Amino acid sequence: MTVDLLDAEAVSRGEALGLAARRIVEGYRVGEHRSPFQGFAIEFAQHREYAPGDDMRHLDWKVLGRSDRYYIKQYEQDTNFVAHLVVDGSASMNYGSGKLTKLQYAKVIAACLAHVILLQRDAVALAMVDTQVKEYLPRTDNLQRINHIMERLAAFQATGETRLGTALEQVALEARRRGISILISDFFDDEEGLAKGLERLTYSGNEVIVFHTLDPYELTFPFQGTWRFKDLESAADLKTSPDDIRKTYLKNFGEFQARIRRICEKYQANYVLADTGRSIAETLSAYLAFRRGTYRK
């Protein structure tokens, strides 16, 4: 049975905006994005001197007429990209104060992005992770595979702890070509491990986009009265009055967000706050519109 994780408004806005690569990518067939390889495709890049064996059809006859020298026209070869979608399935992602838990929100973001990317004839691979890669769907550029992607996302359960750094090391082994890696997580994890994972991905030339998925109650801590707070990734709990700890909590949580953002900035990863109290259409379209406005091919 197909599980529909596609938010109609998010998909509609996403299709209109698209997701273009902002860096050079290494795909595996002709597409719409800049490749590092030079061929004889669409956009002129430069001249080089003729060498025996070169195709005479690419001689620049105007240059020959002016200089009596043989030069070959070289062009940029456009290609497609592969986007690795990485969804955090650690137990902390089960939290939700509204209609959607963080994990459900992450799944819908992943499904909508996968649809947009496949529709524009680029490719998607999916990694679902906690302390390691729990399930990996190899790349596909077939839009018909969106149903399978949604089925696997829907079946994925959040359990246990997080070691996102270890999981990203494994993803980097699959993402060896320059493409786009999209991480969807609350990043309640070892921050040093996250930094190492981002370093590994960017070292291989991947552009990284981070959707920092957080619940509005985590962001604002609006609790009143006496509460028992339970750590979803361990057996620990704390009974306290939120009024007594609100100021300290908000200060510490703000510093945590700032550290994650700084790690992203260090490795030139786009940081996007994915507040689960906001519609997925708003979150995605705001980022894609910003990206489109700042994109330079």
Side-chain angles (χ1 to χ4, degrees), residues 28-208:
Y28 53 91
R29 62 169 177 76
V30 174
E32 300 295 327
H33 313 280
R34 183 67 55 82
S35 166
F37 305 112
Q38 289 177 326
F40 301 101
I42 300 170
E43 185 179 344
F44 175 75
Q46 64 183 13
H47 287 101
R48 68 165 171 79
E49 288 195 49
Y50 171 81
D54 284 339
D55 190 334
M56 296 292 288
R57 290 176 298 175
H58 301 296
L59 276 176
D60 191 324
W61 298 102
K62 291 183 180 179
V63 172
L64 176 63
R66 291 197 303 267
S67 65
D68 202 30
R69 299 184 67 177
Y70 293 86
Y71 281 91
I72 294 289
K73 290 181 179 179
Q74 288 188 302
Y75 297 82
E76 295 289 356
Q77 186 180 57
D78 287 346
T79 186
N80 69 336
F81 67 70
V82 179
H84 276 80
L85 295 166
V86 182
V87 177
D88 178 2
S90 57
S92 65
M93 293 289 284
N94 283 324
Y95 181 72
S97 64
K99 291 182 179 179
L100 298 177
T101 66
K102 291 185 287 184
L103 180 63
Q104 290 167 335
Y105 199 91
K107 288 178 177 182
V108 178
I109 286 178
C112 292
L113 283 172
H115 185 275
V116 169
I117 292 165
L118 291 172
L119 191 67
Q120 64 188 34
R121 300 182 68 245
D122 291 303
V124 166
L126 175 66
M128 291 168 280
V129 308
D130 46 34
T131 59
Q132 60 183 340
V133 175
K134 302 296 287 188
E135 184 171 359
Y136 182 78
L137 301 185
R139 77 179 190 208
T140 180
D141 56 18
N142 184 352
L143 184 58
Q144 300 302 315
R145 296 289 289 171
I146 190 65
N147 289 336
H148 180 61
I149 290 170
M150 287 194 295
E151 287 171 357
R152 299 317 307 152
L153 279 167
F156 185 53
Q157 299 297 313
T159 58
E161 298 180 350
T162 322
R163 282 201 295 273
L164 198 57
T166 301
L168 292 181
E169 289 272 342
Q170 295 174 320
V171 171
L173 293 175
E174 300 290 343
R176 291 187 295 271
R177 293 186 176 207
R178 283 180 275 188
I180 301 176
S181 294
I182 302 172
L183 317 182
I184 311 170
S185 171
D186 58 14
F187 298 104
F188 291 169
D189 188 21
D190 169 29
E191 293 163 25
E192 184 178 347
L194 170 63
K196 288 180 179 177
L198 290 182
E199 181 179 29
R200 179 67 185 275
L201 283 169
T202 55
Y203 179 79
S204 59
N206 277 274
E207 178 186 356
V208 179

Side-chain angles (χ1 to χ4, degrees), residues 213-237:
T213 309
L214 297 170
D215 187 271
Y217 277 30
E218 293 172 330
L219 292 165
T220 62
F221 205 69
F223 304 97
Q224 301 292 331
T226 300
W227 286 73
R228 185 181 297 276
F229 296 98
K230 182 178 180 181
D231 184 343
L232 292 175
E233 296 189 11
S234 73
D237 62 24

